Amino acid sequence: MHTKDYQPTGYPSDLTDAEWELIAEYFPQGPNSEHHKRSLINGVMYLVDNGCKWRALPHEYPPYSTVHSFYRRAKLSGLWEKVLKATVERSRLKAGRNATPSYGIVDSQSVKTVYASDDRGIDGGKKIKGRKRHIIVDTLGNLLAIVVHAANIHDTKSGIKAAKQAFEKYPSISKFCGDEGYRKSFELDVLTELGLSVDISERIKPQFVVLPKRWVVERAFAWFGHSRRLSKDFEIRTDSAETMAKISHLHLLLRRLALG
């Protein structure tokens, strides 16, 4: 069985030639592959961008079961994570920064779930039944780490999980930043487990103001909103929810890098 030649579908979510060239080395074509890897990735990107069910993938892509199998194998092997990390480093170099960050900004976002998903809870403050996305970004807004968990777990308890994940991937991080919700417990956990300090951004006025550094992580959550798959948490498993967010951010970075 020989690999089919790549056939563009024309959907806006498909990778352009320039975008594909940025990651093609991570998806080598096997001699007996029936479908082109770029077509499989485009199928995944379509699903994340448009929020459809796997079975609803357009027929221009390989069979949905094949696309899902490709997505799942890449998730289990850590390939999506590997490609995102390389793309984040490329993005930082393009911006004139060091390849690896020295500063991480933490925040969480509560989102509704739609199924009897694993690890659900109620965020009493925001009145949302579902999960939290805990993320760490650098000062450019690049996604460094994400941990998805039940929404009823307080930020001070779960933020350390995201911080540890980010520090494991980027030992160059020397400090974290969080809002007032991360005071005390999170600060102590970061100091005890990672030996690092935390900057706390305090609201200095009773009305809404844009806080220094904090807007960067808020913008990262806004970027998630560009992908309909992330409008709610549609995933049964939290690791799938984390992977969908990583793919969404990867797609965003590829678009920006390809624009030159």
Side-chain angles (χ1 to χ4, degrees), residues 21 30 39 50 95 197 228 256:
E21 288 178 4
S39 295
N50 294 279
S197 60
R228 290 188 177 181
R256 294 185 168 190

Side-chain angles (χ1 to χ4, degrees), residues 93-164:
L93 289 172
K94 181 183 177 182
R97 307 294 183 88
N98 294 329
T100 57
S102 60
Y103 201 76
I105 308 171
V106 61
D107 204 357
S108 69
Q109 176 190 57
S110 294
V111 292
K112 294 181 180 179
T113 50
V114 296
Y115 305 119
S117 308
D118 299 337
D119 300 310
R120 292 194 302 171
I122 298 177
D123 182 338
K126 298 181 181 178
K127 303 298 188 293
I128 292 178
K129 183 178 182 179
R131 292 172 172 161
K132 279 186 181 179
R133 297 168 180 153
H134 239 112
I135 67 171
I136 305 285
V137 301
D138 64 10
T139 54
L140 299 175
N142 293 315
L143 183 65
L144 307 181
I146 177 169
V147 174
V148 176
H149 55 81
N152 60 311
I153 302 176
H154 197 272
D155 291 355
T156 56
K157 295 182 179 180
S158 54
I160 185 60
K161 296 180 181 179
K164 288 171 67 176

Side-chain angles (χ1 to χ4, degrees), residues 174 189-197:
S174 59
D189 287 341
V190 170
L191 177 62
T192 302
E193 301 191 36
L194 303 179
L196 304 179
S197 60

Side-chain angles (χ1 to χ4, degrees), residues 51-233:
C52 69
K53 298 178 180 178
W54 286 104
R55 291 176 179 271
L57 280 177
H59 295 301
E60 290 89 342
Y61 296 115
Y64 81 88
S65 58
T66 304
V67 178
H68 180 267
S69 178
F70 165 79
Y71 154 81
R72 185 173 182 274
R73 292 196 307 272
K75 180 187 72 172
L76 295 176
S77 67
L79 184 55
W80 293 119
E81 176 65 44
K82 180 179 179 180
V83 176
L84 174 60
K85 187 174 186 292
T87 307
V88 165
E89 292 176 359
R90 188 191 294 262
S91 175
R92 289 182 56 82
L93 289 172
K94 181 183 177 182
R97 307 294 183 88
N98 294 329
T100 57
S102 60
Y103 201 76
I105 308 171
V106 61
D107 204 357
S108 69
Q109 176 190 57
S110 294
V111 292
K112 294 181 180 179
T113 50
V114 296
Y115 305 119
S117 308
D118 299 337
D119 300 310
R120 292 194 302 171
I122 298 177
D123 182 338
K126 298 181 181 178
K127 303 298 188 293
I128 292 178
K129 183 178 182 179
R131 292 172 172 161
K132 279 186 181 179
R133 297 168 180 153
H134 239 112
I135 67 171
I136 305 285
V137 301
D138 64 10
T139 54
L140 299 175
N142 293 315
L143 183 65
L144 307 181
I146 177 169
V147 174
V148 176
H149 55 81
N152 60 311
I153 302 176
H154 197 272
D155 291 355
T156 56
K157 295 182 179 180
S158 54
I160 185 60
K161 296 180 181 179
K164 288 171 67 176
Q165 184 185 107
F167 187 67
E168 181 179 347
K169 289 189 291 185
Y170 300 97
S172 55
I173 294 177
S174 59
K175 184 175 285 190
F176 288 96
C177 175
D179 61 22
E180 289 181 317
Y182 292 92
R183 188 178 294 281
K184 294 183 179 180
S185 180
F186 177 75
E187 290 179 289
L188 181 60
D189 287 341
V190 170
L191 177 62
T192 302
E193 301 191 36
L194 303 179
L196 304 179
S197 60
V198 179
D199 288 336
I200 299 296
S201 297
E202 299 183 6
R203 191 177 298 279
I204 57 177
K205 296 181 181 180
Q207 69 270 24
F208 173 79
V209 292
V210 178
L211 298 175
K213 303 173 186 173
R214 298 300 307 161
W215 68 270
V216 177
V217 70
E218 296 294 344
R219 183 184 61 180
F221 282 129
W223 287 338
F224 283 165
H226 296 171
S227 299
R228 290 188 177 181
R229 186 78 179 194
L230 302 183
S231 61
K232 294 181 181 179
D233 192 329

